[in-house]
Amino acid sequence: MKKDYVMGNSAIALGALSAGVKVVCGYPGTPSTEIIETIFRVPHDNVHLEWSVNEKVAMEVATSAAYSGARSLVTMKQVGLNVASDPLMSLAYVGVKGGMVIVVADDPGPISSQTEQDTRAFANFCRIPVFDPASPEQAFQMVQDAFLYSEKYHTPVILRPTTRVCHAYASIEFNENYCVKPYEGFVKDSSKWVIFPKLSFANHAMIEKRNVTIGNDFSSYKFNCVTNAKASSKKAVIATGDSYAYAKEALLENQEITLIQVGTPHPLPENFLLKALEGIDDVLCIEELSPYIENEVLRLCGKHHLKLNVYGKNTSHVALSGENSVQSVKRSINKFLGIDKTDDIAFENIPNLPIRPPVLCAGCPHRAAFYAVKVAMKNKKSYFCGDIGCYTLGNAKPLDMVDTCLCMGGGVTMSQGFNFVDKEATSFAFIGDSTFFASGLTGVVNAVYNEANVIICILDNSTTAMTGHQPHPGTGFNLMGNFVDKVDISKVLEGIGVNTIVTVNPLDFKASVDAVKDCASIKGVKVIIFKAPCISIVKPHKPVKFTQKCNSCRVCIKKLGCPAIIMNEGKVAIDTSLCVGCNLCAQICPRKSIEESKCE
Amino acid sequence: MNKDILICGVGGQGTVLASKLIASAAMSENNIVHSAETIGMAQRGGSVTSHVRIGQNAFSPLIPDHCADLILSFEPAEAVRNLKFLKKDGAVIVNSQPIKPITETLDNTGYDGSNMIEYLKQNCKTCIVVDGKYFSDNLGSSKFFNIAILGVACGANKLGLDKDSLIKQIETKVKEKFVEVNKKAFELGIKIGEQNAA
Ligand SMILES: Cc1ncc(C[n+]2csc(CCOP(=O)(O)OP(=O)(O)O)c2C)c(N)n1
Ligand code: SF4
Ligand code: SF4
């Protein structure tokens, strides 16, 4: 046995390897990314590992493994499940042979996500089981248990950690000598593997019956458990996920309240809950995102005529949005107990704090691309449809170049919509290279087919930067450790039938502005590929130098907002620890007072 | 041992390595340790925190309010931002060198961290102010501040960990070619810490 201090996501990875997983697929997304990154780093002989181009693809690749009896793991962030929901819904009806665990990481807050959706509710919608770990230690156990339940009941199973579980660290003990679990291979049987209305009807009935059985099975599962149980106790707290950890800590001072963890929210372990709630008059449900368990307990009360008062999000005892914490849980419990206690404030009259929003790095090529478009389109009516990635940060002042951001790939298609409602304006889409492969391609096809007049700017920085620099089809490297042919974005566009395709280095300011102006004068679908690597994947150049000519007019600061240009004792100065010598500021300085960094 | 240590700063300052070293040193001394990191959007120049929790009753990965024994702050305003975590008699070790957010530079408000340092000195029972510039002048880069501040905390007896267990972790966890300079940063920090030990 080996003991390691690892992140929750690594614990999930090690758990899956220990369970003999054969195929692992996923698409990066905070807070789930490090699961696949961990598997890549540790020994994983005979495992097929891939960053798929998006979550739907990942789910489908893994499905064949599951049909063949092999164990598979699919990873994504919560919004990834929206993309993968089409295959998953159908797969829930068809079922699996080899264990299939889908890790979907939720992000209460949200801290790094578009939505605060609740994957437990999604699992219920799909009618498949979901495990909800409260800690990295539990996540390690649960991923292995999830494979067993998946095989026992022939269903895909979701493991739903939240950010604080994914990014928490703990000591995990595991057997280093894991190996792929042997599997039979695909056995053809079209009555089983081909979804048809008849099959769906039959399986739907089967699934509803089966879920009752799973609920009963879960009633004896070790992470559905009661602590602090006392015969005298009339009040209980039910907590799920990391809220269970918070409640455990909050209740250290109060051992009179029964604490119940529900580790498998769906199918509900009804018998377990009925027993745990015996003799209880009042119950407080503490959870994040939706009042999922709370509503389930209310349903239970109705079904079994329980005399039980249920408190939680529906009664304003727990916040409806955002994260929980030990404090918020203490507040909820105090309110539940009728204790009137205000939070102590230790520090008063705190001075105004500087706001620190995330920004594009010093020297980020996205800044240059946005600025070129801004200058080229000055005083012209334009729409700037952004998308998801580091370049979403182009919305911040002073660039202010992102008018919309909806979902991955949405910018390319939204720019077309704007073009159809306002022919006078020029519609732009900005999309990163990884996002282009994930879900931008179909949008370009749509633009060509439906004759949109748009300029699509592909910000090709040769990586998936926002989520921590993962490779993608355009980088020429995959997770099997192989160098492969790069998928050439320009050729792909040619194949689709885009007539105007320009590739330009965004750090060449004049050439970039000219490219945008040229494209703006042509009708049809135009694509500008702004090609320059993310600064995190290349060696920096020497910093630029401000010469005597600089009169601190602050034009560079006001136009670019590069964090390496700072004010020092009333003068404009360079933070040499941040500047990577991209030379953008030198090209726009009206007095030519910045000495360019020479490429070594 | 029971100890909660909050490390805070700005994305890119190397707080994660500092927390890893504390956690693994504490474990090498047979403690139960949990920790948590900010990962994601905030890493691009936003405020970041690492929570290290030593002891068996730390169930939450994040330190609850008013529970941190020690705040190690890589930036003046970030220390103030995270004061709600500090225990009444907890200690703060803070870098006096500000990192000016772009919002401040644009509005030219003149934020230089000094009012933050003043506030910390007046309101915290123990506040050790260290000048990051001293370390970057001596070590040739501000990159090693994360290890230097560990040295300060260790020298001032605020970590509750043995100096040697930390050095051992530096030797094993840091990239080989940076081990020597990091050890130097640590030793420099220890000296400053010793001068400030109560
Ligand atoms: C459906 C969905 N899947 C995954 C993510 C997580 N995610 C955010 S940005 C991003 C990709 C960014 O890469 P790229 O488009 O190359 O832009 P860059 O960050 O490199 O500028 C991903 C995968 C998401 N937000 N939504
Ligand atoms: S060259 Fe100018 S714009 Fe580029 S990173 Fe340095 S300061 Fe920023
Ligand atoms: S990580 Fe790369 S793409 Fe993201 S902001 Fe920094 S330089 Fe730009």
Side-chain angles (χ1 to χ4, degrees):
Chain A
M1 293 299 258
K2 183 176 173 188
K3 206 170 171 177
D4 244 344
Y5 186 65
V6 299
M7 185 190 277
N9 279 338
S10 305
I12 293 171
L14 294 170
L17 288 169
S18 302
V21 71
K22 167 69 189 168
V23 170
V24 182
C25 314
Y27 186 63
T30 315
S32 70
T33 313
E34 298 82 3
I35 302 170
I36 285 188
E37 289 183 329
T38 300
I39 295 184
F40 182 64
R41 235 184 21 244
V42 303
H44 57 274
D45 294 351
N46 303 318
V47 174
H48 171 81
L49 181 64
E50 70 170 50
W51 280 129
S52 308
V53 299
N54 64 32
E55 294 86 351
K56 172 173 147 66
V57 169
M59 187 83 75
E60 291 155 350
V61 171
T63 294
S64 309
Y67 285 5
S68 304
R71 288 191 166 179
S72 60
L73 184 78
V74 189
T75 77
M76 65 194 70
K77 68 182 292 167
Q78 87 286 54
V79 287
L81 192 55
N82 302 338
V83 177
S85 61
D86 195 14
L88 179 59
M89 279 312 282
S90 297
L91 181 61
Y93 281 81
V94 176
V96 299
K97 185 159 95 181
M100 180 184 205
V101 179
I102 306 151
V103 185
V104 185
D106 277 350
D107 185 25
I111 302 170
S112 309
S113 304
Q114 299 98 294
T115 71
E116 273 204 306
Q117 65 194 72
D118 191 328
T119 297
R120 298 172 303 170
F122 217 126
N124 185 329
F125 183 55
C126 302
R127 317 304 290 150
I128 61 175
V130 56
F131 288 71
D132 189 6
S135 64
E137 292 94 331
Q138 285 193 3
F140 174 72
Q141 285 294 323
M142 279 186 178
V143 70
Q144 299 175 68
D145 299 338
F147 277 111
L148 296 175
Y149 279 91
S150 172
E151 271 163 16
K152 184 167 173 190
Y153 294 101
H154 306 290
T155 174
V157 171
I158 292 180
L159 176 75
R160 188 237 22 181
T162 54
T163 305
R164 299 304 180 192
V165 173
C166 292
H167 291 165
Y169 282 72
S171 283
I172 300 291
E173 213 176 339
F174 62 98
N175 185 350
E176 280 174 287
N177 301 319
Y178 48 73
C179 55
V180 169
K181 187 170 180 268
Y183 53 96
E184 183 188 20
F186 183 60
V187 180
K188 293 189 188 195
D189 179 354
S190 69
S191 68
K192 200 169 171 184
W193 305 122
V194 180
I195 194 163
F196 261 116
K198 189 165 162 256
L199 176 88
S200 303
F201 173 75
N203 282 5
H204 188 185
M206 176 280 291
I207 286 165
E208 295 303 337
K209 254 209 216 134
R210 173 204 75 193
N211 281 355
V212 176
T213 314
I214 299 181
N216 290 337
D217 200 344
F218 277 164
S219 280
S220 56
Y221 182 55
K222 62 176 175 254
F223 293 119
N224 291 319
C225 60
V226 181
T227 45
N228 293 3
K230 284 211 183 69
S232 60
S233 184
K234 295 273 168 233
K235 290 182 192 296
V237 165
I238 298 181
T240 68
D242 48 9
S243 294
Y244 174 70
Y246 303 147
K248 208 164 160 189
E249 191 156 338
L251 287 174
L252 280 174
E253 305 151 16
N254 187 338
Q255 302 289 328
E256 289 306 307
I257 298 180
T258 300
L259 176 60
I260 302 168
Q261 177 183 14
V262 178
T264 57
H266 182 78
L268 193 72
E270 279 196 25
N271 294 339
F272 160 74
L273 275 172
L274 287 174
K275 184 141 191 302
L277 291 169
E278 256 170 34
I280 299 289
D281 294 333
D282 301 286
V283 64
L284 171 67
C285 299
I286 305 181
E287 56 199 315
E288 289 169 324
L289 306 172
S290 69
Y292 181 82
I293 286 294
E294 189 179 338
N295 290 342
E296 285 287 88
V297 172
L298 284 169
R299 187 174 61 80
L300 208 61
C301 288
K303 186 172 166 189
H304 297 274
H305 305 287
L306 302 184
K307 235 180 131 246
L308 185 66
N309 299 312
V310 182
Y311 303 90
K313 287 176 183 267
N314 295 323
T315 58
S316 305
H317 283 70
V318 177
L320 282 160
S321 61
E323 278 197 276
N324 288 339
S325 63
V326 175
Q327 288 72 48
S328 78
V329 167
K330 275 188 186 165
R331 276 196 297 273
S332 299
I333 292 174
N334 282 338
K335 188 167 175 188
F336 173 60
L337 299 177
I339 299 172
D340 193 14
K341 192 164 173 256
T342 45
D343 284 3
D344 356 320
I345 301 164
F347 293 92
E348 282 171 334
N349 305 321
I350 288 195
N352 278 342
L353 289 163
I355 326 164
R356 221 183 269 289
V359 288
L360 293 172
C361 299
C364 173
H366 297 337
R367 176 179 292 104
F370 281 125
Y371 189 62
V373 176
K374 188 171 185 173
V375 168
M377 298 310 291
K378 197 173 172 200
N379 298 327
K380 297 204 177 80
K381 191 174 184 199
S382 320
Y383 296 109
F384 302 119
C385 298
D387 215 299
I388 302 192
C390 280
Y391 52 98
T392 316
L393 299 174
N395 79 318
K397 292 208 161 44
L399 287 173
D400 192 13
M401 281 295 288
V402 176
D403 296 332
T404 66
C405 174
L406 186 66
C407 63
M408 290 211 33
V412 169
T413 28
M414 284 186 68
S415 70
Q416 299 162 37
F418 281 117
N419 173 239
F420 299 142
V421 295
D422 184 353
K423 297 268 180 219
E424 304 306 310
T426 311
S427 280
F428 283 84
F430 294 93
I431 184 166
D433 42 355
S434 182
T435 307
F436 174 75
F437 289 117
S439 49
L441 266 163
T442 47
V444 180
V445 176
N446 193 66
V448 171
Y449 173 53
N450 289 304
E451 302 169 285
N453 282 304
V454 288
I455 302 180
I456 298 166
C457 302
I458 300 179
L459 307 178
D460 181 357
N461 60 358
S462 299
T463 187
T464 316
M466 177 92 270
T467 46
H469 308 99
Q470 292 76 28
H472 62 60
T475 61
F477 179 76
N478 68 23
L479 291 193
M480 295 307 282
N482 296 331
F483 291 96
V484 292
D485 288 340
K486 293 180 187 178
V487 177
D488 186 325
I489 296 179
S490 177
K491 279 195 190 146
V492 169
L493 295 166
E494 257 172 54
I496 292 173
V498 177
N499 290 325
T500 311
I501 306 162
V502 189
T503 302
V504 62
N505 178 356
L507 296 168
D508 183 340
F509 178 61
K510 191 175 169 302
S512 297
V513 173
D514 289 347
V516 179
K517 282 185 176 160
D518 287 350
C519 286
S521 68
I522 314 171
K523 276 210 163 318
V525 180
K526 290 84 56 179
V527 177
I528 304 174
I529 304 173
F530 286 105
K531 193 163 176 55
C534 162
I535 64 147
S536 302
I537 59 167
V538 285
K539 262 184 98 172
H541 297 298
K542 288 220 167 68
V544 293
K545 287 195 190 100
F546 279 46
T547 62
Q548 297 294 331
K549 279 192 274 177
C550 173
N551 67 349
S552 291
C553 69
R554 301 176 66 236
V555 162
C556 52
I557 292 178
K558 285 188 270 188
K559 302 274 186 207
L560 299 179
C562 171
I565 313 178
I566 53 172
M567 292 299 289
N568 205 353
E569 288 158 2
K571 280 202 169 130
V572 176
I574 288 280
D575 182 337
T576 51
S577 70
L578 289 179
C579 174
V580 296
C582 78
N583 289 336
L584 179 64
C585 54
Q587 295 171 71
I588 69 140
C589 169
R591 301 170 64 86
K592 293 269 166 266
S593 53
I594 306 174
E595 189 183 307
E596 288 200 10
S597 162
K598 301 273 180 299
C599 299
E600 290 111 89
Chain B
M1 178 168 69
N2 283 307
K3 217 172 193 58
D4 285 327
I5 302 168
L6 183 94
I7 304 166
C8 56
V10 175
Q13 280 191 307
T15 47
V16 176
L17 178 62
S19 87
K20 275 201 181 136
L21 292 174
I22 296 179
S24 44
M27 269 184 302
S28 73
E29 296 185 14
N30 292 321
N31 293 291
I32 296 179
V33 184
H34 285 92
S35 55
E37 306 289 353
T38 339
I39 296 166
M41 199 83 153
Q43 283 172 301
R44 309 266 172 278
S47 304
V48 293
T49 54
S50 298
H51 297 240
V52 184
R53 309 202 65 195
I54 306 171
Q56 57 192 15
N57 281 337
F59 299 113
S60 158
L62 301 182
I63 300 170
D65 291 3
H66 321 302
C67 281
D69 300 275
L70 174 65
I71 291 183
L72 294 178
S73 182
F74 290 40
E75 206 278 343
E78 295 313 308
V80 178
R81 200 188 302 282
N82 288 292
L83 275 180
K84 68 164 185 176
F85 289 108
L86 194 67
K87 249 189 196 155
K88 263 208 188 76
D89 53 353
V92 175
I93 302 179
V94 57
N95 183 2
S96 61
Q97 291 295 321
I99 292 193
K100 297 175 189 182
I102 196 72
T103 42
E104 297 290 309
T105 315
L106 279 171
D107 300 338
N108 209 0
T109 54
Y111 164 72
D112 63 359
S114 55
N115 60 334
M116 302 291 158
I117 298 290
E118 228 17 72
Y119 182 85
L120 291 167
K121 279 190 185 157
Q122 276 168 19
N123 292 277
C124 302
K125 197 154 164 257
T126 310
C127 174
I128 302 176
V129 180
V130 294
D131 182 3
K133 199 164 171 304
Y134 166 78
F135 294 110
S136 43
D137 287 351
N138 273 283
L139 300 162
S141 164
S142 55
K143 263 191 259 165
F144 311 109
F145 183 80
N146 54 358
I147 308 298
I149 196 170
L150 289 188
V152 178
C154 192
N157 285 326
K158 296 290 174 202
L159 281 184
L161 294 171
D162 198 52
K163 177 183 155 182
D164 293 329
S165 21
L166 277 155
I167 293 182
K168 206 158 171 201
Q169 294 310 317
I170 294 175
E171 284 167 350
T172 49
K173 294 259 161 12
V174 170
K175 264 205 204 118
E176 205 178 318
K177 65 176 181 183
F178 294 119
V179 166
E180 276 318 304
V181 53
N182 275 307
K183 274 163 83 174
K184 197 175 153 201
F186 188 70
E187 294 293 345
L188 272 180
I190 291 215
K191 277 203 201 105
I192 303 279
E194 281 168 355
Q195 290 162 18
N196 283 282

